[in-house]
Amino acid sequence: MSEQVSDYVLARLREWGVERVFGYPGDGINGLLAAWGRADNQPQFVQARHEEMAAFEAVGYAKFSGRLGVCAATSGPGAIHLLNGLYDAKLDHVPVLAIVGQTARSAMGGSYQQEVDLHTLFKDVASDFVETVTVPEQLPNVLDRAIRTAYARRAPTAVIIHADVQELDYSPPTHAFKMVPSSLDRSGWQAVPSDESLARAAEVLNAGKKVAILAGQGAAGARTEVEQVAEVLGAGVAKALLGMDVLSDELPYVTGSIGLLGTRPSYELMRDCDTLLTIGSNFPYSQFLPEFGKARAVQIELDPHMAGLRYPYEVNLIGDARATLLRLIPLLERKDRRGWQSEVIAHVERWKEVMRRRAAVSAEPVNPEHVAAALSPLLPDDAILTSDSGSVANWYARHITMRGTMRGSLSGTLATMGCGVPYAIGAKFAHPNRPVVALVGDGAMQMNGMAELITVAKYQHQWEDSRLVVGVWNNRDLNQVTWEMRAMGGAPQFLPSQELPDVSYAEFAGMLGLTGIRVEKPDEVEDAWREALAGKGPAVVEFVTDPAVPPIPPHADWDQIEATAAAVLKGDADRKGMLRQGIKAKMQEFLPHRKKSASPEEGEQ
């Protein structure tokens, strides 16, 4: 039997080391699906419930494996559904390849069923490489270049294949005019800055008396080197949300996350420093960086076209974070005076106590901060965490202590809802021997997560460690938007848009054969997490939480306070609750410092 184009596509993916493709079937890829049958499902076709979820799963797989994520979809609506997940990959700089079917060539231009201009559709999200295969000889070059570009640019790419082309006999390009041969090899490479630029960067950092480091996901492979720099320079280290797992939060000078969802010590670190070193981050919110002109700054960035953004950096070092730091460290001078770092450490200790107190504040019925705070010490040191967007991201950023080999991620730049559960599925396929925990709000759970629990149930037996725990914050409110309306626009809660149906996520999980636990009391929270983490399979733990507990930013300016007050005056539906919980949460910052914090039962102040 001759090899078809579809057979060659799967064979080439196997040669590139691709082990899984996340997708959903449709007649636009019938040729590929038939080839999967002939190839004994190698690479494995992982069936999501929706093409958007397939793209998210590919993104999660790529984020947690460091390898190419691949997704597949049919023509028309299937291809359209991929877009949100692919934009997530683009904005968070993740290598993902989308393989998409297209209407048969003979029907193109005839307003045929599912005929969509896919080249135009994908030209922005896959701007680094998108191509349509129209003849077999074109295929190896197109597929190889799409994969190589996805890795090199850390971006999504797309290959579109007409349905009839998939079923043609494959013939390789010949040694002839207008034929383009191709090759598989992707040799490793490292970019490093020049000696002259390293010397200029060292001069800036050595001159600083109050050095702050901002570490992002680009510093992930340089944990030891970042620690060395912090120690030599006596610096404090803040982390972008995508870099939460870059350094352990047990290091005393690590201030935690930065930004609106960040910590007060990170805000103070940036406010008071005189020198900034940014490593592998393009954190977009410049208002949380040092005031322009107040601090001298150096950036280490792998991608030249992303360098120099966000802040007026004096030196932009273009290179791999680890390779660059290894060359920079010998040029740095150890700072003997440690007053600045001691001050940072004191701020961190104080903040951790404030967070313990906030988590201990009583609520109706359960404080959402307590849910995350109770989970943190119970997590295995090799756990992988995913967080959805919304108020739950606040609790992930502020209450989860990263340690050991723990990993964590979320939709950092697109901040899309609905990624938490599919990310977790991608993580399980990347690391089937590690426990995975997804932190999800009820809005995201209703949007995408519930259906994708079916995918969890379908594939759980393929995972060596089948623990995939989904924690759901059930507050019947699209809570982050509600608080943004109050704090930014002074608008009261608009119930027709914000109020959610009360769904029993635990019961739904039980219907699928998964463990389902519902928690309605504070003293049940810790035991529920323990039960789920000690189980032998996937579990959903549903916490009925208080929507009135505010995700207070690291600093609340007068505009935000006045806007929130205006929402109350305009008749916010939850004004009693939000005032009560807001005052109790904010008061924790002003109580005297104590070494031992209150338990949830003691937190009635």
Side-chain angles (χ1 to χ4, degrees):
M1 183 177 178
S2 60
E3 182 183 38
Q4 294 184 3
V5 164
S6 55
D7 298 310
Y8 180 83
V9 170
L10 299 187
R12 199 64 166 181
L13 290 177
R14 292 193 296 271
E15 288 181 294
W16 274 102
V18 173
E19 297 177 348
R20 291 172 184 86
V21 177
F22 301 90
Y24 199 81
D27 61 3
I29 53 171
N30 274 353
L32 285 168
L33 298 175
W36 254 298
R38 294 190 292 270
D40 195 25
N41 198 23
Q42 296 297 322
Q44 181 185 12
F45 185 94
V46 178
Q47 182 200 73
R49 313 273 62 77
H50 188 285
E51 291 90 354
E52 181 183 354
M53 299 302 97
F56 278 143
E57 285 158 18
V59 174
Y61 179 87
K63 281 190 170 187
F64 291 111
S65 70
R67 301 169 62 186
L68 179 75
V70 183
C71 54
T74 187
S75 54
I80 294 167
H81 285 160
L82 288 177
L83 286 179
N84 196 46
L86 294 179
Y87 270 108
D88 188 40
K90 179 175 183 174
L91 271 62
D92 278 359
H93 307 286
V94 180
V96 172
L97 167 65
I99 299 175
V100 185
Q102 176 60 297
T103 300
R105 293 171 296 175
S106 58
M108 292 297 293
S111 192
Y112 202 72
Q113 183 186 34
Q114 295 191 344
E115 181 185 348
V116 172
D117 185 351
L118 295 184
H119 230 281
T120 298
L121 185 74
F122 283 101
K123 72 178 181 180
D124 180 56
V125 70
S127 56
D128 284 299
F129 188 84
V130 55
E131 193 53 72
T132 300
V133 176
T134 57
V135 296
E137 292 84 359
Q138 187 186 358
L139 186 63
N141 173 62
V142 168
L143 191 56
D144 291 350
R145 193 170 175 210
I147 294 173
R148 194 173 284 113
T149 301
Y151 272 124
R153 300 283 177 86
R154 298 174 298 151
T157 58
V159 173
I160 303 162
I161 310 176
H162 290 281
D164 58 320
V165 172
Q166 296 170 31
E167 298 178 342
L168 295 176
D169 288 342
Y170 174 70
S171 54
T174 60
H175 188 256
F177 182 53
K178 293 189 178 180
M179 289 287 184
V180 183
S182 188
S183 59
L184 277 168
D185 186 57
R186 186 178 72 92
S187 298
W189 60 278
Q190 276 189 336
V192 293
S194 67
D195 290 342
E196 181 270 337
S197 60
L198 286 166
R200 288 194 295 118
E203 184 277 321
V204 172
L205 297 172
N206 289 333
K209 295 180 179 179
K210 298 180 177 181
V211 180
I213 297 173
L214 172 58
Q217 64 175 345
R223 172 176 288 203
T224 299
E225 290 71 28
V226 175
E227 289 183 26
Q228 287 179 325
V229 172
E231 173 59 27
V232 170
L233 297 178
V237 184
K239 300 185 291 187
L241 280 177
L242 287 173
M244 282 278 288
D245 55 6
V246 166
L247 281 185
S248 171
D249 287 309
E250 294 182 323
L251 293 169
Y253 52 78
V254 172
T255 61
S257 57
I258 189 175
L260 191 65
L261 278 59
T263 71
R264 186 165 185 84
S266 292
Y267 166 72
E268 293 166 336
L269 179 74
M270 295 295 153
R271 182 194 65 190
D272 299 335
C273 71
D274 63 15
T275 308
L276 172 65
L277 171 61
T278 300
I279 306 172
S281 174
N282 265 286
F283 173 73
Y285 303 109
S286 58
Q287 70 268 34
F288 289 98
L289 297 177
E291 186 178 341
F292 291 175
K294 183 178 181 294
R296 302 180 71 185
V298 173
Q299 181 183 33
I300 299 174
E301 171 59 47
L302 180 63
D303 190 341
H305 90 275
M306 294 296 291
L309 300 177
R310 319 305 183 200
Y311 198 78
Y313 292 102
E314 196 168 329
V315 184
N316 291 297
L317 299 175
I318 308 303
D320 171 80
R322 183 172 184 271
T324 299
L325 289 174
L326 285 172
R327 287 161 175 78
L328 180 62
I329 289 170
L331 305 178
L332 300 179
E333 299 169 358
R334 179 178 176 81
K335 298 188 188 301
D336 295 325
R337 295 184 177 181
R338 295 282 149 158
W340 164 247
Q341 194 176 59
S342 296
E343 182 181 335
V344 171
I345 292 171
H347 288 165
V348 172
E349 290 175 351
R350 171 63 179 165
W351 175 257
K352 288 180 178 179
E353 182 175 330
V354 170
M355 287 293 97
R356 286 192 292 268
R357 287 172 168 170
R358 284 191 187 173
V361 165
S362 61
E364 297 180 5
V366 177
N367 184 339
E369 300 198 60
H370 174 47
V371 175
L375 168 66
S376 186
L378 302 178
L379 288 167
D381 283 356
D382 65 341
I384 297 174
L385 289 100
T386 68
S387 171
D388 221 296
S389 298
S391 59
V392 70
N394 291 271
W395 319 138
Y396 162 74
R398 295 175 184 169
H399 287 286
I400 299 298
T401 298
M402 289 289 175
R403 62 185 183 277
T405 59
M406 286 171 60
R407 299 289 311 281
S409 194
L410 76 178
S411 177
T413 313
L414 187 61
T416 178
M417 284 179 65
C419 65
V421 175
Y423 265 24
I425 293 169
K428 285 302 293 188
F429 278 105
H431 299 283
N433 61 336
R434 294 175 66 170
V436 175
V437 180
L439 312 181
V440 185
D442 50 357
M445 199 66 186
Q446 291 183 19
M447 180 181 285
N448 292 335
M450 294 180 73
E452 220 51 32
L453 289 179
I454 301 170
T455 305
V456 174
K458 176 181 173 71
Y459 291 103
Q460 61 175 309
H461 302 296
Q462 296 188 17
W463 303 324
E464 181 182 337
D465 181 338
S466 59
R467 287 177 295 171
L468 193 163
V469 179
V470 180
V472 183
W473 275 249
N474 180 1
N475 59 17
R476 294 80 60 206
D477 181 47
L478 292 170
N479 202 233
Q480 186 75 11
V481 173
T482 292
W483 282 102
E484 287 171 348
M485 289 172 66
R486 290 166 175 160
M488 297 179 183
Q493 183 186 37
F494 180 55
L495 290 177
S497 76
Q498 300 308 109
E499 190 174 35
L500 290 170
D502 187 5
V503 175
S504 179
Y505 308 98
E507 287 187 14
F508 182 76
M511 290 172 57
L512 299 175
L514 310 179
T515 297
I517 306 168
R518 182 177 168 95
V519 176
E520 298 179 353
K521 297 179 181 178
D523 58 6
E524 298 173 349
V525 170
E526 186 174 327
D527 287 343
W529 279 127
R530 288 186 184 278
E531 181 181 347
L533 289 168
K536 295 183 179 180
V540 172
V541 192
E542 174 191 353
F543 302 95
V544 182
T545 58
D546 191 341
V549 175
I552 300 173
H555 74 297
D557 59 34
W558 281 110
D559 289 341
Q560 292 171 324
I561 294 171
E562 290 174 356
T564 304
V568 173
L569 294 173
K570 293 174 183 176
D572 194 290
D574 194 30
R575 57 185 175 183
K576 290 182 180 179
M578 61 181 280
L579 283 173
R580 179 188 66 247
Q581 294 303 142
I583 291 170
K584 287 199 293 187
K586 193 65 178 174
M587 278 298 296
Q588 309 316 308
E589 298 181 31
F590 303 105
L591 294 174
H593 182 77
R594 295 178 301 179
K595 291 185 178 180
K596 186 177 181 181
S597 60
S599 67
E601 292 77 15
E602 297 169 329
E604 298 295 332
Q605 61 266 32

